[in-house]
Structure formats: C-alpha cells, structure tokens
Amino acid sequence: MRRTLAIAAVLTLAAAAALSGCGKDDENAAGGGTLRVGYQRFGGLSLLKARNDAPGVTWSLFESGPALTEAIKAGAIDIGQTGEAPPIFAAAARTPFKIAAVGAPSPKSEAVLVKKSRGFKSFADLKGKTVALNKGSNVHWLLVRLLEANHMTLTDINVKYLKPAEGRPAFDNDQVDAWIIWDPYFALAESPDVQILADATGVANNREYVLVSSDAADKKTEQIKSFLTTYEKTTAWGIANPDERAKVLAPELKIDEPRTKRALARAAQPVAPLTGEIGTELQGIADGFTQLELIPVKVDVSALIDPRFTGAVQ
C-alpha cells in the first residue's frame, strides 16, 4: 500500500513540476531562442533526453498527453509527443498546433488490466462494471473500439476518469473493476495477480504523434526539422540496440531494468512516414469521438498535418 501511494505521489509531483516550470522565461517564448520540448515517461522523446542527443533544448515532463496539449495551448512548450486521442481533444478545444511526425503502430503497449481473482474472461464481462482510464488519452480510443467490438456502448459500463497517478491506487485497492492504461504504467502494474484482459491488437493502432505549436511551427521551423531528424536517428538506434536502450532509459524513468525492457519490447516503434493514410486513420478517430459526443465539434485532421515537416523524418 505504501509503495502504491509513493508511486502515485511521485507521478503527481512530476506532472505538477512540469506544468509549474514551463514558460517562465520570456526568452524561451516560441518566437526565439531555446526549443522547449514536452515529453512523457516512456514516450519516444524520453530516449533523446536520456542520451542527451538534443543539447540546447529544455525539457518538461508530463504525466499524460492531455496535460501536454494543455501546455501547448498555454504557450508553455513548443513541441511534444502524445498518443492518438490527445490531438483530437486538443483540436476540439481549439488548441493551435500542427502534427509534425508519427510513429509506427504499438497496439500491445496499452491494455485493459483486471485482477485475476475477479474471474473476468473477456472484455464483455465488464458490462455493468467500473472501468478507469485517463480521459482524452490513447486508452480512451481503445475503450471506444473495444466497446464496438463487443457490441456494447458507453452506457453499458461505469466509466471513471482517473489520471495514472489516481488510477493505480484505485485499481490496487479494488475501487474499480478494470484499469485501461499504457506503458510504462502498464508494466509497473503487472504482477502475478494481474490479468491482461485485452490489448489494442486488432482494434487500435496506438501510434505516437509529435505535435508542434502553430507559433513554433512558423518561427522555429528549422530548429524543429533538425530536432525531428535527431528524433528519428535516436529512435532507430534504440530499436537496433534494445539492451543498451533499456540501460539508458531505466535510470531516466526510475524503473528497474527488467520492467523497462519488457515495456520497451511492446512500446518502442520506429518513426513512420506522415502520409495521407495517417490522416485518414486519425480522421476516423476524430469522427468516432464526434459521433459519441465526447468532443463538441467536428475536427478536420487534414488542417492539422503540416507539410513543412513531412519530409524531416523519412
């Protein structure tokens, strides 16, 4: 119990520190100077930070994609990485940003976790049960897709929106029946009494997206292009050198090496070309959220993809 509370406290403090530390220096505003990068624990950008492959940038840690997009909206960071749902919610909230890069699918790095003692055999067994997840994150789309696949709707379950730091203790203490979560929180929660009820395989691609504030896209274009080129090279190095990657990232993430390696095997994917097909895929996600009235307006994904950056990571 104390270990769970400690983890929750660390995650909460990390997120708060990131938000409070962003945007304090006027010289770091989007119009000049240092490139301000937002990253998440275990996202592809965390390897750049751990290896110091992008010297001269400033880094801010965020607990989740929605928190990171809020920082973009506030003008606190120039660039950051999220899953596939946060860009949609951010666009619906009129956050000024562009999509600059995308990762290959990573469907096994997000999952529905349940306690083995509860006896659930399939996702359909969660009908009438309480399911926790972070609102507006990649796992929100996974929930939508799993409900569709099992001929269920949001009214068939009790959804409890909890941030990762809140979801873990709620799950550990049986305050919810299931927790939908991504790595590395996924890997940290795995234990002999925890069952993976479903992951995103066959229902969601679970890609990472690199988002750039519209102001930075205009005023720091060449810096961003250079950063994206480095991002692709570092990502490729990590995939080619999985053992070294885990050794580098474990101290950065404050996670033991075996769990870091296990999560990386699921999550780490190469950078993918930012093509029209990607736009079509993301538009489908946006339309799905619109139809469910989870966002208030229709989102035009084609307006978000910035052609200035499509060749920077290919």
Side-chain angles (χ1 to χ4, degrees):
M1 177 67 179
R2 280 181 290 189
R3 181 177 178 274
T4 297
L5 292 173
I7 290 172
V10 168
L11 294 175
T12 302
L13 288 171
L19 286 171
S20 64
C22 291
K24 289 186 177 180
D25 292 328
D26 290 340
E27 66 182 22
N28 284 338
T34 305
L35 189 67
R36 301 165 303 160
V37 182
Y39 74 107
Q40 296 183 62
R41 296 170 68 89
F42 216 70
L45 297 183
S46 60
L47 185 59
L48 265 76
K49 181 180 184 297
R51 280 170 48 92
N52 195 31
D53 283 350
V57 309
T58 61
W59 296 91
S60 296
L61 175 64
F62 294 88
E63 184 185 16
S64 66
L68 190 149
T69 59
E70 281 296 317
I72 291 178
K73 187 174 185 178
I77 58 173
D78 300 317
I79 185 171
Q81 193 171 46
T82 76
E84 55 202 355
I88 303 305
F89 281 79
R94 304 190 185 284
T95 300
F97 74 94
K98 297 294 182 181
I99 298 172
V102 66
S106 178
K108 292 188 177 298
S109 63
E110 58 176 356
V112 182
L113 304 183
V114 297
K115 297 287 184 64
K116 289 181 179 178
S117 60
R118 306 301 292 273
F120 300 123
K121 301 299 183 184
S122 71
F123 184 85
D125 293 337
L126 295 178
K127 188 171 184 177
K129 304 300 183 181
T130 300
V131 179
L133 68 147
N134 193 76
K135 184 177 183 179
S137 288
N138 55 341
V139 291
H140 205 156
W141 181 240
L142 175 58
L143 172 64
V144 169
R145 295 290 289 132
L146 285 170
L147 287 169
E148 290 177 357
N150 288 274
H151 309 290
M152 297 164 65
T153 69
L154 285 167
T155 60
D156 289 320
I157 59 173
N158 175 28
V159 179
K160 195 166 187 178
Y161 292 124
L162 298 175
K163 296 176 182 179
E166 302 165 330
R168 176 65 187 274
F171 178 68
D172 286 350
N173 295 318
D174 296 321
Q175 295 169 349
V176 298
D177 298 293
W179 185 31
I180 312 182
I181 193 59
W182 64 90
D183 277 315
Y185 308 110
F186 172 10
L188 285 168
E190 287 183 281
S191 67
D193 65 332
V194 171
Q195 174 187 351
I196 300 172
L197 195 63
D199 61 26
T201 301
V203 292
N205 277 328
N206 189 36
R207 298 178 187 270
E208 287 188 333
Y209 287 82
V210 177
L211 313 182
V212 179
S213 76
S214 295
D215 200 22
D218 291 336
K219 297 175 181 177
K220 295 183 178 180
T221 311
E222 296 307 314
Q223 283 176 271
I224 292 167
K225 286 182 179 179
S226 177
F227 181 83
L228 291 175
T229 299
T230 301
Y231 159 59
E232 182 181 32
K233 290 178 179 177
T234 298
T235 300
W237 174 87
I239 291 170
N241 300 275
D243 291 340
E244 292 88 339
R245 178 181 61 190
K247 288 178 182 178
V248 169
L249 270 177
E252 169 70 26
L253 300 173
K254 297 179 175 60
I255 301 172
D256 62 80
E257 199 169 312
R259 278 186 287 192
T260 298
K261 190 175 294 187
R262 182 170 70 248
L264 282 167
R266 293 188 292 240
Q269 298 295 328
V271 180
L274 188 54
T275 63
E277 288 76 11
I278 297 295
T280 300
E281 178 183 311
L282 195 57
Q283 186 65 61
I285 296 172
D287 292 345
F289 282 127
T290 303
Q291 290 165 10
L292 291 170
E293 299 183 345
L294 291 170
I295 56 174
V297 296
K298 182 176 175 61
V299 170
D300 179 11
V301 171
S302 64
L304 301 176
I305 297 177
D306 196 321
R308 289 174 293 183
F309 304 114
T310 54
V313 292
Q314 295 179 35

